[in-house]
């Protein structure tokens, strides 16, 4: 997919999926076309991220990617919250967290591990990521455990307070990792990627690619309901696996690309950073936003199945990343856990 | 609070709270006066601990502090067990464990981290502390999980046996850390604090300060019921947060003081050591003591809420301390978890 | 038990227990005789393993021992599955996992620690073992959590798929640890044990010892039901503790022997490797085998008690082994947890 051919494909697929969407083509066809478009724009986003990462440093690039990737998901989720589809939102948030930790990170580590015997990244970063993931797990488990003894109104208050605390913790994390302890967490030893374009063009393309991802993701998601009904899939499975995989296609391709260029620090930052952002920023923002939309607000109480999935994903990711070094087998372990979760979500 | 003024305040506040207690003053007033007294005597205990630590070595000093701090709690708890108030005892034990791990350690790491970019302590000690915390968690979780399938009598037997095993494990830990592997666990690199008094005066003041803490804590606790009823707080919240915070004021001020002098090893020893002592020594001693007091003995089965709180506190503390280095953000994470637990305990 | 006297005892005890078995002697007598035989043949297996380890390298020797040790258990379990005694099988698998992690490893670390102040082994190996143990825990917990929402048929499908995934993960682990990353995981620094016999004799004796262990274990297990009924023990306790302790006698003596010769890498490999093999290979093979035996197949859903026991065993083992170094107190902690579990299983 190198060179001009790629950009021809990119524009073609994107325009075609737009046409398919606005002319209300047959759903299955729309789905296939927009899926191809998503693959292309995700590839484009990967290239743009890499180019920006060249100028901004690896971690900042990874952070930008995580942010831009999740912007698409945030927008889609806000529309779902507006329609009161809280269960689908929570399922897709769950899917996004486990998808990033197990599928994106798993494939990155596996693919990188096939090329390089041992890949390493900043241990301090791994340690902080672990602690933040545990905060995320705690912030989701505690409300679920205590919700049984609370009224609906008390659950709402609890959700709102926990949401505010998580956002505060997330913003202070940015202060910590970008300002006060920037040097401690950076991967100084890793070489930088190639710059495809000038600094300003790279940034412009990053924004453009993100917008294209948001649009094509949404067109694809729009057809999902009809397509999945045809194939008899449950809402939980669709939310937690299909929507999540498609919504994270961007992080996905970018992270794997980074891993295969032996920049495991950036791949980890994209995958774990993205899931942290979902748990500590996107989910709380949705809870708070729901308070301003009228009707019953969305609480932060996830189901036992969702919590079990998030808990095991965090637990094995923590175990695999904590020594700051990875190999193909560790990637495979993450993928095995992802498949096990996929099977049980499919069956339930 | 330096110099003579401090000691004037200390004696004044302590005497006034004694007068308020024995003349049965208005409860709210008694509460405020004894709270001020607790702050002063806790400060005094901190100074005495630091002075003894100068002579005894850091870890031994930390151990002494943990022991003396918990002596007060043990005495209070024995009176509560005698009155059959098992639920309040367990709530305050829970509160003491999470208060030490999250509030005391969190504030120490946060305050120390604002002054020093990175603070470190003996990794071996962190690793052993983790394993002991996990033993504590296991010893509380297993009885709770199996209690459902046991009769009251069997639960009593189980509680007694587990209690004896925990005390044995704790005493052997002292043998291990003070005798056989003393050198491996000590923080040789850390400078010693200033000696305010001679060795024997330091020890005398340590004992005196502990006795004063015990008295003033008890006077304060005595007014708590009336005061909290006025403000409509639940027993669980009062036991797990108010009593625990006041009962740990001593460890609190001592640990934060140590952290701000860059003696993180001593701060960790005070905070984690104290919570380990509650779980592995104070709680089992109370269970065994209840067998000799007539009436139904107290079992070791904690509620789901209490176990959830202890579990998450241990889990995040383990994650943050295991690399033997801390910074302000890690302290903040502990505090965020403490606030989340405070909110849900308040609401339940 | 050195020299010729040992071999006289070995042959005598084995022959006597065979005679006792085939002449249908009084059950309690049979039990005592076969127990003595098991101790002897396990000692023989330990010697043979050590001798083979001299030629094959420590880890390969450890792996061989784990495999040969579990061959006996696998054979016994297949007979139990054939008779539809699924609960006893699961109890003994649970007991085998926790017995290896807590009793075998605990005693090895404790005994080795009494002789050597600090014993160390490959940290990379410890880290990979941890991740694999977590996979095992996940693969047992997830089906149990989701089984409540599934039909019997769906539970069977789930069990089969999870079993296949685990076996695949285990075979790839062998590929990883024996081929692609053999050098990274080996304990190069450790000296090799003494060779008692020539290479081929050693291998022959290893096979012979394994066969003898299988026979004498089975004879002993055959008398267990009658003996335990006399003493009023529950099936759960017998499966999880008695059968497991006897079935793992071989790993037991071999691991302790290695630890006391300061080959902690081999001891860890035997104990953890054996429990991994039970969770990732023996259990799945039994699930799959049950599908080809007619009747209701065995599912992979363990009880809450069993999962709690496995969960805490893995959790504390991970904490103790993750720094790649051990001492007597860490061994003691594992033993304390084992005793706690023994008490609650006995009472339930």
């Amino acid at each position: 997919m190198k060179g001009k051919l790629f950009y021809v494909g990119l524009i073609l697929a994107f325009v075609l999926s737009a046409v398919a969407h606005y002319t209300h083509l047959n759903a299955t066809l729309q789905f296939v076309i927009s899926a191809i478009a998503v693959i292309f724009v995700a590839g484009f986003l990967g290239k743009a991220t890499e180019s920006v990462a060249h100028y901004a440093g690896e971690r900042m690039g990874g952070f930008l990617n995580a942010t831009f990737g999740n912007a698409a998901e945030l927008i889609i989720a806000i529309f779902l919250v507006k329609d009161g589809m809280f269960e689908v939102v929570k399922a897709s948030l769950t899917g996004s967290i486990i998808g990033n930790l197990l599928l994106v990170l798993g494939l990155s580590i596996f693919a990188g591990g096939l090329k390089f015997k041992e890949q390493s990244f900043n241990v301090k970063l791994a340690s902080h990521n672990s602690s933040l993931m545990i905060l995320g797990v705690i912030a989701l488990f505690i409300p679920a455990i205590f919700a049984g003894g609370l009224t609906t109104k008390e659950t709402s208050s609890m959700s709102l307070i926990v949401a505010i605390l998580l956002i505060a913790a997330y913003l202070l994390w940015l202060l910590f990792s970008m300002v006060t302890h920037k040097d401690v967490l950076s991967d100084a030893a890793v070489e930088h990627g190639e710059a495809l374009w000038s600094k300003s063009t790279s940034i412009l393309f990053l924004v453009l690619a993100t917008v294209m991802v948001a649009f094509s993701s949404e067109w694809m998601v729009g057809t999902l309901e009809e397509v999945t009904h045809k194939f008899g899939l449950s809402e939980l499975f669709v939310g937690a696996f299909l929507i999540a995989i498609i919504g994270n296609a961007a992080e996905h391709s970018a992270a794997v690309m980074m891993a295969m260029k032996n920049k495991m620090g950036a791949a980890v930052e994209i995958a774990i950073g993205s899931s942290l952002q979902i748990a500590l920023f996107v989910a709380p923002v949705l809870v708070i936003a729901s308070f301003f939309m009228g009707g019953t607000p969305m609480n932060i109480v996830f189901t036992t199945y969702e919590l079990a999935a998030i808990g095991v994903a965090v637990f094995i990711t923590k175990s695999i990343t904590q020594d700051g070094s990875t190999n193909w087998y560790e990637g495979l372990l993450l993928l095995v856990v992802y498949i096990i979760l996929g099977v049980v979500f499919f069956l339930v």
Side-chain angles (χ1 to χ4, degrees), chain A:
Chain A
M1 303 220 291
K2 288 248 159 146
K4 279 185 184 167
L5 207 64
F6 171 75
Y7 296 99
V8 173
L10 169 69
I11 294 163
L12 209 69
F14 188 75
V15 170
L16 271 178
S17 72
V19 170
H21 177 74
Y22 292 111
T23 58
H24 302 287
L25 212 67
N26 162 286
T28 311
L29 252 176
Q30 263 195 58
F31 177 80
V32 174
I33 295 171
S34 55
I36 295 168
V38 165
I39 293 167
F40 271 102
V41 295
F44 181 40
L45 184 59
K47 284 174 191 285
T49 302
E50 200 194 344
S51 192
V52 170
H54 174 81
Y55 296 105
E58 247 187 61
R59 283 198 67 253
M60 189 65 193
F63 167 73
L64 286 174
N65 188 274
T67 308
F68 280 50
N70 287 329
E73 286 166 286
L74 184 59
I75 294 162
I76 296 170
I78 282 178
F79 283 108
L80 289 170
V81 168
K82 215 174 177 179
D83 297 348
M85 298 171 74
F86 299 156
E87 298 319 309
V88 179
V89 172
K90 286 178 193 170
S92 75
L93 291 174
T94 302
S96 199
I97 293 170
I98 65 170
N100 273 295
L101 294 183
L102 302 175
L103 181 62
V104 176
L105 187 60
L107 260 178
S108 300
I109 293 175
F110 183 72
L114 291 183
K115 240 179 125 177
F116 305 94
K117 185 163 184 182
E118 202 83 33
Q119 296 187 292
S120 60
F121 52 93
N122 189 319
V123 176
K124 286 266 170 206
L125 178 62
S127 160
H128 280 90
N129 276 340
S130 284
S131 297
L132 278 166
M133 284 193 287
I134 289 171
L135 174 66
V137 168
I138 289 173
L140 296 180
F141 270 72
I142 289 296
I145 291 168
F146 284 77
L150 300 178
T151 64
T152 309
K153 214 178 128 51
E154 286 169 343
T155 304
S156 287
S157 309
M158 174 181 69
S159 300
L160 196 58
I161 296 169
V162 171
I164 291 167
L165 285 169
L166 288 182
I167 291 175
Y170 188 71
L171 295 179
L172 286 166
W173 163 248
L174 297 186
L175 175 70
F176 173 79
S177 62
M178 303 283 167
V179 183
T180 75
H181 286 61
K182 195 185 168 188
D183 53 329
V184 178
L185 298 173
S186 67
D187 264 324
V190 189
E191 325 150 29
H192 285 303
E194 52 177 331
L196 295 168
W197 311 289
S198 75
K199 191 171 176 178
S200 54
T201 310
S202 299
I203 292 171
L204 183 74
F205 277 10
L206 184 64
V207 175
L208 180 66
T210 304
V211 172
M212 288 170 81
V213 166
F215 270 96
S216 53
S217 295
E218 206 182 351
W219 296 334
M220 195 175 176
V221 168
T223 67
L224 263 179
E225 203 173 348
E226 211 178 319
V227 172
T228 52
H229 267 239
K230 265 192 206 164
F231 295 90
L233 301 168
S234 76
E235 280 210 343
L236 186 68
F237 180 75
V238 171
F241 285 80
L242 288 198
I243 293 186
I245 289 173
I246 296 161
N248 289 308
E251 286 94 325
H252 206 131
S253 73
V256 173
M257 219 179 276
M258 290 293 184
M260 294 191 69
K261 295 191 174 176
N262 207 15
K263 298 180 182 178
M264 194 43 85
V268 166
E269 185 59 22
I270 292 171
I272 300 189
S274 182
S275 70
L276 284 176
Q277 209 173 36
I278 297 286
L280 304 181
F281 189 75
V282 174
V285 161
L286 291 172
V287 167
I288 293 171
S290 76
F291 274 81
F292 296 102
M293 287 183 181
T296 325
M298 186 173 86
N299 63 39
I300 208 165
V301 181
F302 282 64
T303 68
T304 306
Y305 294 155
E306 291 163 348
L307 291 174
I310 293 172
V312 302
V314 166
F315 204 38
I316 191 140
T317 304
K318 179 172 149 57
S319 174
I320 279 172
T321 58
Q322 77 184 359
D323 62 352
S325 116
T326 58
N327 54 56
W328 70 266
Y329 190 71
E330 295 184 313
L332 184 116
L333 281 184
L334 294 176
L335 294 173
V336 168
V337 174
Y338 191 68
I339 296 169
I340 290 176
L341 290 176
V343 169
V344 292
F345 270 85
F346 180 81
L347 288 172
V348 146

